[in-house]
Amino acid sequence: MTQPTIRTVAVVGAGVIGRSWIRVFARAGCETRVFDPDREQLARALEWARESAEEDEALGFIGSGAAAAEGRVIRRCDTLNQALSGAGWVQESGPETLAVKQRIFAEMDAAAGPETILASSTSAHDMSRIADGLAGSHRCIVAHPVNPPHVIPVVEVLPGEGTGPEVLAATLAFLESVGQSPVQMNRYLPGFLLNRLQAALIREAVFLYGTGAASAEAIDTVVREGLGLRWALLGPFGTGHTNADGGAGEYYRRYGDAYRDLWADLASDPAFSDRVIDGIHAETEAMHGPDATAALCAWRDRMVRRIRALKDDDPLP
Ligand SMILES: NC(=O)c1ccc[n+]([C@@H]2O[C@H](COP(=O)([O-])OP(=O)(O)OC[C@H]3O[C@@H](n4cnc5c(N)ncnc54)[C@H](O)[C@@H]3O)[C@@H](O)[C@H]2O)c1
């Protein structure tokens, strides 16, 4: 990993996403200030970050002594001002409500130095609305991670209407320098890229299950043992490029009509009723056993790290 382009950062809001961001920044060697108005939540997040780093070290995902090194750069802050004083980057990860985000951004804009970039983890909101009317709207930007960002590197970056081009460039460079994979979106759309793509697939999965076309296990197996194996390596267009000897152009021209016919046949309303949700839950629980969620999450995180290490050893041509 290269040196971080910004050395002092603040994590504002230390819930599920904020605590994982602590690991991203501390692992990269940034002085990482952490603030949450809920003192107990703050204490829990710092404890989680310590345990998570120790577990990573025990599993060999980070080097010997790296967990202690992370601990040395993390600072607990009891006020927003203390967290932001001298910080070059702020990662806001507070509640997902527009009015709350607007309030937090107004407070951060007043507390932060003039050069500080104010980034939001929001999954849904447009920075043009969050930062509307702020004196520092030019330094506000969306940096939407995938949960958990210390394991999954993609971060969707969306400038608002007022965001400065130099802030966008500095954001992409900083996220890259702390080991993430920033992806720029050119204009705001609800759900950004990741959740729109995810929602498109889940809509069809729910339709197939709900109409009895296939079991939950069959649908999960097609993704887990089929599409997903390729998608961990290549996106939909990269996959198309490997599905015909002449590449994506040949593939999509040859199968264009087949895709158009299928798109016309796909469900627009998959009838996402309680009956369907209960059925999905019961069949998924039967697949993995009762109370398997925590073990599944831990396994998923270990395997994602191993897949990423394999990809680092044999990178995308
Ligand atoms: N959980 C996910 O899968 C996920 C994925 C990507 C992005 N996000 C986004 O990350 C953000 C945080 O989500 P989360 O899942 O961590 O939520 P969470 O409820 O786990 O954490 C939110 C934290 O914000 C704190 N908070 C409340 N008021 C605050 C304030 N005024 N200032 C600062 N902190 C405050 C809460 O005490 C809490 O610790 C949201 O915008 C969410 O959309 C979540």
Side-chain angles (χ1 to χ4, degrees):
M1 202 182 293
T2 52
Q3 288 294 312
T5 55
I6 297 172
R7 303 309 299 252
T8 304
V9 307
V11 172
V12 171
V16 171
I17 286 297
R19 70 187 186 195
S20 177
W21 275 120
I22 299 172
R23 292 282 329 274
V24 170
F25 300 133
R27 193 172 56 190
C30 299
E31 179 177 317
T32 305
R33 284 93 172 275
V34 189
F35 168 70
D36 193 298
D38 179 337
R39 298 287 173 93
E40 285 176 17
Q41 182 81 321
L42 179 56
R44 271 196 300 273
L46 295 173
E47 180 65 8
W48 176 92
R50 188 180 61 74
E51 285 175 5
S52 157
E54 285 172 359
E55 207 174 291
D56 278 3
E57 189 173 317
L59 290 168
F61 292 132
I62 54 177
S64 169
E70 284 187 33
R72 283 195 293 277
V73 294
I74 297 172
R75 313 260 180 276
R76 178 195 164 112
C77 295
D78 291 322
T79 64
L80 183 69
N81 279 346
Q82 195 188 347
L84 265 55
S85 162
W89 174 274
V90 182
Q91 186 72 42
E92 177 276 325
S93 302
E96 184 69 337
T97 311
L98 181 60
V100 176
K101 297 265 186 230
Q102 287 170 328
R103 201 173 57 237
I104 297 176
F105 265 74
E107 286 169 15
M108 296 196 309
D109 195 33
E115 303 297 322
T116 311
I117 295 177
L118 305 179
S120 176
S121 297
T122 182
S123 309
H125 298 297
D126 184 351
M127 187 47 77
S128 308
R129 297 193 65 198
I130 296 176
D132 188 27
L134 293 186
S137 62
H138 65 282
R139 37 89 163 255
C140 298
I141 193 159
V142 169
H144 171 239
V146 183
N147 184 35
H150 73 289
V151 175
I152 307 214
V154 155
V155 182
E156 297 180 295
V157 173
L158 284 85
E161 281 158 16
T163 308
E166 70 293 349
V167 170
L168 171 61
T171 294
L172 297 170
F174 172 63
L175 290 169
E176 186 110 21
S177 77
V178 295
Q180 301 302 100
S181 303
V183 171
Q184 184 188 334
M185 198 169 168
N186 298 327
R187 69 184 168 92
Y188 172 81
L189 280 173
F192 309 155
L193 295 177
L194 185 135
N195 280 323
R196 290 182 80 87
L197 290 167
Q198 177 165 248
L201 184 77
I202 291 176
R203 179 175 65 184
E204 190 57 23
V206 167
F207 169 78
L208 292 168
Y209 175 81
T211 55
S215 66
E217 179 160 14
I219 294 163
D220 260 18
T221 304
V222 163
V223 175
R224 197 181 59 235
E225 305 297 330
L227 292 171
L229 289 175
R230 296 194 301 214
W231 284 348
L233 307 173
L234 297 161
F237 301 137
T239 300
H241 209 51
T242 62
N243 278 350
D245 290 343
E250 181 186 326
Y251 176 71
Y252 284 117
R253 250 184 294 279
R254 190 186 303 160
Y255 295 104
D257 283 342
Y259 276 113
R260 284 184 201 99
D261 288 348
L262 272 178
W263 286 331
D265 192 57
L266 292 181
S268 56
D269 178 6
F272 207 13
S273 64
D274 282 346
R275 178 193 64 80
V276 169
I277 294 172
D278 290 345
I280 290 171
H281 181 86
E283 289 195 29
T284 307
E285 195 166 66
M287 254 191 286
H288 299 293
D291 302 323
T293 300
L296 265 182
C297 288
W299 176 79
R300 176 203 63 193
D301 290 355
R302 284 198 304 276
M303 293 303 286
V304 167
R305 252 70 98 63
R306 291 182 179 137
I307 292 167
R308 288 184 64 192
L310 282 171
K311 293 204 294 186
D312 286 345
D313 285 349
D314 193 351
L316 182 67

